Amino acid sequence: PRPWDGFLSVCRNQILVLMALEMFFYTFSSTLFSQQFNHLVESELGNINERTAFVAGIYGYINIVSLVTQFLVTRLVMIFANPIYSLLMLNLIQVAGTAMMLVRPSLNIISLTIIIRYALNYSTGRVLRELIYIPLDREAKYQGKSFIDTVIFRFGDGLSSAVIYGGLGILGYGFWIDYSILGVMALQFYVILRAAGLYAQRLQQAGSASLMPETSAG
């Protein structure tokens, strides 16, 4: 009923605070990494038609890989006792890709990282983020989640764009982008671990409540 209800719902729930941070760190790092991708595409592919075909090919591979991982990876992680820990896959893939870019910047490396990370996010990451809301109350699902999926998502994109704009103007293009991504990934790693732990507690509480015998009025 009120525009700020989603914000208040997030502030009142520790799991939602962690999920807001996870979403922010994901979009923030993705935008920084995309800037590196765009820079390499422009520097290594001089023809506009080549750039267009290359980027289209990247997104074609993302769709194919996401379809495959939907049946294989997502199915596999959902049988785990606590699937939320699997969000660390996206984190570790980004760390590995960024570390390799620090050692040897390459269009092939960054393209492969983007394909795997985006495909897993579409097929598995989104499923796991939806899963974490199941044991939460109605307000958290329909107010807090909406705030995270819209405002926090766009805030991460917007702030990272401002950082890129300011950083390129002051420092120019360089390794500061990679180190920024690694710093954000370290924070996200901790946030995912905390969120997975709280999710397990909520499931245990829900299970205990369902096993409690009903009492009749005397």
Side-chain angles (χ1 to χ4, degrees), residues 117-171:
R117 192 188 188 206
Y118 278 35
L120 278 176
N121 181 60
Y122 293 145
S123 65
T124 308
R126 290 185 175 182
V127 173
L128 297 176
R129 292 189 187 99
E130 298 290 332
L131 185 66
I132 205 169
Y133 292 99
I134 291 178
L136 303 184
D137 57 41
R138 182 180 178 86
E139 181 183 1
K141 292 175 182 176
Y142 295 102
Q143 293 288 344
K145 182 180 182 301
S146 296
F147 181 81
I148 292 172
D149 289 347
T150 54
V151 177
I152 299 299
F153 184 89
R154 294 305 172 192
F155 179 68
D157 274 340
L159 185 58
S160 58
S161 298
V163 169
I164 291 172
Y165 182 80
L168 292 178
I170 299 173
L171 302 173

Side-chain angles (χ1 to χ4, degrees), residues 21-30 184-185 187-188 191:
L21 290 172
E22 193 276 334
M23 178 64 73
F24 171 77
F25 293 145
Y26 178 83
T27 56
F28 188 92
S29 61
S30 296
V184 169
M185 289 297 95
L187 295 173
Q188 188 189 35
V191 164

Side-chain angles (χ1 to χ4, degrees), residues 10-193:
V10 171
C11 293
R12 288 193 291 260
N13 191 309
Q14 190 175 2
I15 289 184
L16 293 187
V17 171
L18 293 171
M19 292 308 296
L21 290 172
E22 193 276 334
M23 178 64 73
F24 171 77
F25 293 145
Y26 178 83
T27 56
F28 188 92
S29 61
S30 296
T31 303
L32 291 179
F33 205 61
S34 295
Q35 166 61 29
Q36 292 180 303
F37 174 75
N38 294 335
H39 175 79
L40 287 174
V41 168
E42 291 180 2
S43 61
E44 296 191 17
L45 302 176
N47 188 291
I48 186 64
N49 293 326
E50 290 180 339
R51 297 175 190 171
T52 302
F54 183 81
V55 173
I58 292 294
Y59 281 94
Y61 284 122
I62 288 173
N63 286 319
I64 294 172
V65 175
S66 64
L67 180 63
V68 174
T69 54
Q70 182 76 53
F71 288 96
L72 301 179
V73 179
T74 307
R75 177 184 175 86
L76 177 64
V77 301
M78 290 297 287
I79 67 175
F80 295 162
N82 191 339
I84 306 304
Y85 284 111
S86 301
L87 280 173
L88 293 172
M89 288 190 303
L90 302 176
N91 184 281
L92 296 175
I93 290 169
Q94 183 63 75
V95 169
T98 303
M100 287 189 287
M101 287 292 293
L102 275 170
V103 176
R104 184 173 175 234
S106 165
L107 185 57
N108 290 331
I109 290 174
I110 198 169
S111 298
L112 182 61
T113 304
I114 286 177
I115 291 171
I116 297 175
R117 192 188 188 206
Y118 278 35
L120 278 176
N121 181 60
Y122 293 145
S123 65
T124 308
R126 290 185 175 182
V127 173
L128 297 176
R129 292 189 187 99
E130 298 290 332
L131 185 66
I132 205 169
Y133 292 99
I134 291 178
L136 303 184
D137 57 41
R138 182 180 178 86
E139 181 183 1
K141 292 175 182 176
Y142 295 102
Q143 293 288 344
K145 182 180 182 301
S146 296
F147 181 81
I148 292 172
D149 289 347
T150 54
V151 177
I152 299 299
F153 184 89
R154 294 305 172 192
F155 179 68
D157 274 340
L159 185 58
S160 58
S161 298
V163 169
I164 291 172
Y165 182 80
L168 292 178
I170 299 173
L171 302 173
Y173 184 85
F175 290 132
W176 66 269
I177 301 178
D178 299 288
Y179 289 119
S180 298
I181 293 174
L182 292 177
V184 169
M185 289 297 95
L187 295 173
Q188 188 189 35
F189 191 89
Y190 171 77
V191 164
I192 292 173
L193 291 179

